[in-house]
Amino acid sequence: SRAAGLGAHLVEAATARYGKPLAGAAGVLLLVSALALLFSGSKLEAAIQEVETAPASQKQEKIDAATRLIDALKDPAEAGYFKGRLEEAQGDPGSASFRYREAAKAGSSEALTRLVGLLEHPKCRVRAYAAESLGELKAKGARGKLEELAEKGGPGENDIPLIGCSSKARAREALKRLR
């Protein structure tokens, strides 16, 4: 991972400058920090999983618990990504795509990956929102998936003005923005 590579680089630089004892201490500190970050992310993932599986009578309680964990995050990109995950867990992938777009703007690669995944969603409007977001973000890495969507579309495609949905057309528009 990027964090592990950076950590290894920092330990190597500390060893060269300060010697092995101090570099070892820096390595331990980095390891503890990485584990804390990993644990907090997995705790949040578990809370979101609980929202997905909770019975209706407990769902709001689980949503509130996950929201508190998200609100405690300092990084806007990470918080935006998890807000999107929470929206999906509540059955609203359309709103999630907008959260992912904002998180990707703030630097979340996970949110960008999630948007690309939404291009294959069974609902046309979700695919359309994801395509629009990827075009706005000028996400060149999504070109192949956008081309596939622009060519094949998906379930629920229709071009009826005002009430129809065409993720194919949104994907074509997104591809124009990537140029």
Side-chain angles (χ1 to χ4, degrees), residues 2 14 22 44 51 54 61-62 75 87 110 126 134 160 163:
R2 185 174 50 162
L22 190 55
L44 194 43
V51 169
E61 175 187 329
K62 301 297 183 182
D75 179 9
E87 294 280 355
E110 293 89 353
V126 174
L134 289 164
I160 300 170
I163 61 168

Side-chain angles (χ1 to χ4, degrees), residues 44-179:
L44 194 43
E45 284 290 348
I48 290 171
Q49 181 74 29
E50 287 180 14
V51 169
E52 291 173 332
T53 59
S57 63
Q58 297 175 0
K59 193 162 287 279
Q60 189 59 52
E61 175 187 329
K62 301 297 183 182
I63 291 168
D64 293 344
T67 300
R68 283 191 297 277
L69 290 171
I70 293 168
D71 289 345
L73 295 172
K74 305 280 188 255
D75 179 9
E78 186 180 21
Y81 168 74
F82 281 112
K83 285 177 184 177
R85 289 280 296 114
L86 184 57
E87 294 280 355
E88 277 193 270
Q90 294 176 71
D92 192 356
S95 293
S97 69
F98 293 110
R99 298 282 192 173
Y100 292 143
R101 178 179 58 200
E102 294 308 308
K105 282 181 184 178
S108 172
S109 60
E110 293 89 353
L112 201 56
T113 299
R114 205 73 179 181
L115 280 171
V116 172
L118 288 176
L119 293 176
E120 297 178 357
H121 197 276
K123 291 184 180 176
C124 181
R125 293 214 187 281
V126 174
R127 293 190 309 274
Y129 295 149
E132 180 181 317
S133 293
L134 289 164
E136 182 181 314
L137 293 165
K138 299 188 184 322
K140 295 188 185 305
R143 181 180 302 280
K145 290 289 187 182
L146 285 166
E147 287 171 344
E148 188 178 311
L149 181 59
E151 182 182 321
K152 297 178 184 175
E157 296 280 337
N158 67 53
D159 291 327
I160 300 170
L162 299 176
I163 61 168
C165 176
S166 177
S167 61
K168 288 171 69 168
R170 293 274 184 95
R172 284 192 297 270
E173 291 169 19
L175 286 165
K176 288 177 187 175
R177 297 183 88 173
L178 298 184
R179 292 185 185 139

